[in-house]
Amino acid sequence: MQEIKFYSGENIPLELHKVRIVQKLHLVSVERRLEALKEGGFNTFRLSTKDVFLDMLTDSGTNAMSDNQLAAMMRADDAYAGSQSFDRLQKSVEHVLDKKYLLPVHQGRAAENILSVAYVKKGSLIPMNYHFTTAMAHITDKGGQIAELLYDEAYVINSSCPFKGNMNIEKLEEVIRTHGAENIPFIRMEASTNLIGGQPFSIQNLRDVRAIADKYGIRLVLDASLLGENAYLILQREEEFRNSDMATVVKAMTGLADLCYFSARKLSSSRGGGICTNDIKIFKELEAFIPLYEGFLTYGGMSIREVEAMAVGLYEVLDESSISQSPRFIKYLVEQLDSKDIPVVKPAGVLGVHVDAMNFCSHIPQQQYPAGALAAALFLISGVRGMERGTMSNQRDENGVEPMSDMELLRLAVPRRVFTLSQIKYVEDRLTWLFENRHLIGGLKFVEEPPVLRFFMGKLAPLSDWPEKLMAKFKEDFGNSL
Ligand SMILES: *Cc1c(COP(=O)(O)O)cnc(C)c1O
């Protein structure tokens, strides 16, 4: 895509769409935000959107639909079996992802469940570039294990490595040799590795993984939930594809995998999900599980309206000006924050901006959840809701010991086509103020800790009256401003 240059020389990610449906936001007072935090146990998952100004919790199911998607939803053909809407989805999958056979599922994790039920058993090992929470949970639930095979540079926060999502090829071969190919039902590659900052892999790396999969006769599975953005970054960063286009890159990626699955809550800016393949044998192995777990084979637990929205949304993945909007905003915000020495994961990835809380709040020990504390502090002083991705999101082991996370990140998601640049600038402004006042942020402790996935519904409390002190400083500096 041609970058649009500004006469002033400023590097501005111009929106190439217009907004025709608006939803009013609520920017409530700082006092109300403190109350909301207390009611929600200082956990951003427990906040109500009536108190949230910019919701940067996730990019899942929160993306803006296009006029064409909404129009398609109106013509949805509601039928239990043989819906024409499903035919349209199938055509779209074939055109965009180049896969003939499609199994619909109600969301991404449902695809992971079916793959695990079909292929994972006790003693299985699944090599992957990096785990995603639900992918790992389904594999371990069936008695399998995962092996994460990123290169060391993937864990470097301040990096210029263009493909931090690449799989370590030497390690992959070593793992296959020691564990035995017969115990490895598939290799899983995740496009734009979500949990390490939305970092892409290169086509060359995927080709290398494919070669090893072929050598040992192992299936290659692509988690394509964040495929469009990974493909966009390949166009930006991989020399061989500099003059290529989205359709070519997307096909090159899916063509290397035996099977692709995706969360349509991200890919295609709708909801639902799918599994697709050109291998009739794989299709037959998985087919029977769809009516068992999801619904009939022409809706898979989805509303038919979502099936239509997905069919259209998939074509829009190939529209570079549409798919690039979120990554360009992310790049802009990362560059602005970095220029002020605010620690963020670099290079800019997809799905959101990831603030390095270990460094931002270096005075808060990991046991006191620096990323969770930073998420609460940012909400307090701005109404911006992010998500903790660090130790709070980890689970205790069987002895009750809490493993410390590799990284302590505050993720600020940038849902597709949702925010405007002035809103992004507001985030930059408030984060800048918070960075200057970071010594006022204190730690948190759990007061109600669920045994499973505690970060979703757990309640925490501040270890001192730091939220009140932070609020007082905010009021001193901002006066009557919200
Ligand atoms: C969100 C996501 C999933 C799970 O999808 P859901 O629709 O939330 O169940 C799986 N893999 C990746 C990479 C994701 O980002």
Side-chain angles (χ1 to χ4, degrees), residues 107-109 112 132 134 190 194 223 225 263 265-266:
Q107 65 184 91
R109 71 198 65 184
E112 293 166 341
F132 184 72
T134 53
E190 182 179 312
N194 188 324
D223 179 341
S225 303
S263 167
R265 298 176 65 84
K266 293 138 193 175

Side-chain angles (χ1 to χ4, degrees), residues 58-60 106-112 131-135 188 190-195 223-226 261-266 271-273 351 411:
T58 176
D59 66 327
S60 173
H106 79 274
Q107 65 184 91
R109 71 198 65 184
E112 293 166 341
H131 82 281
F132 184 72
T133 45
T134 53
R188 175 179 172 276
E190 182 179 312
S192 314
T193 319
N194 188 324
L195 296 185
D223 179 341
S225 303
L226 303 172
Y261 75 85
F262 56 91
S263 167
R265 298 176 65 84
K266 293 138 193 175
R271 284 158 203 89
L351 106 102
R411 184 180 88 183

Side-chain angles (χ1 to χ4, degrees), residues 194-205:
N194 188 324
L195 296 185
I196 59 152
Q199 299 290 326
F201 58 69
S202 65
I203 299 251
Q204 189 50 50
N205 184 249

Side-chain angles (χ1 to χ4, degrees), residues 6 19 67 78 89 107 126 138 144 148 171 201 223 232 242 265 293 310 356 363 370 379 388 401 420 473:
F6 280 73
V19 180
D67 47 358
D78 270 305
L89 177 59
Q107 65 184 91
I126 318 294
H138 281 294
E148 292 178 323
K171 273 201 197 152
F201 58 69
D223 179 341
Y232 169 72
R242 191 155 292 247
R265 298 176 65 84
Y293 290 111
M310 196 194 301
D356 173 17
H363 58 290
F379 173 75
E388 191 268 6
V401 178
T420 61
K473 181 68 177 18

Side-chain angles (χ1 to χ4, degrees), residues 125-131 145-150 167 175:
L125 182 84
I126 318 294
M128 50 183 72
N129 45 358
Y130 202 66
H131 82 281
Q145 273 181 296
I146 64 157
E148 292 178 323
L149 305 175
L150 289 172
M167 184 177 273
V175 162

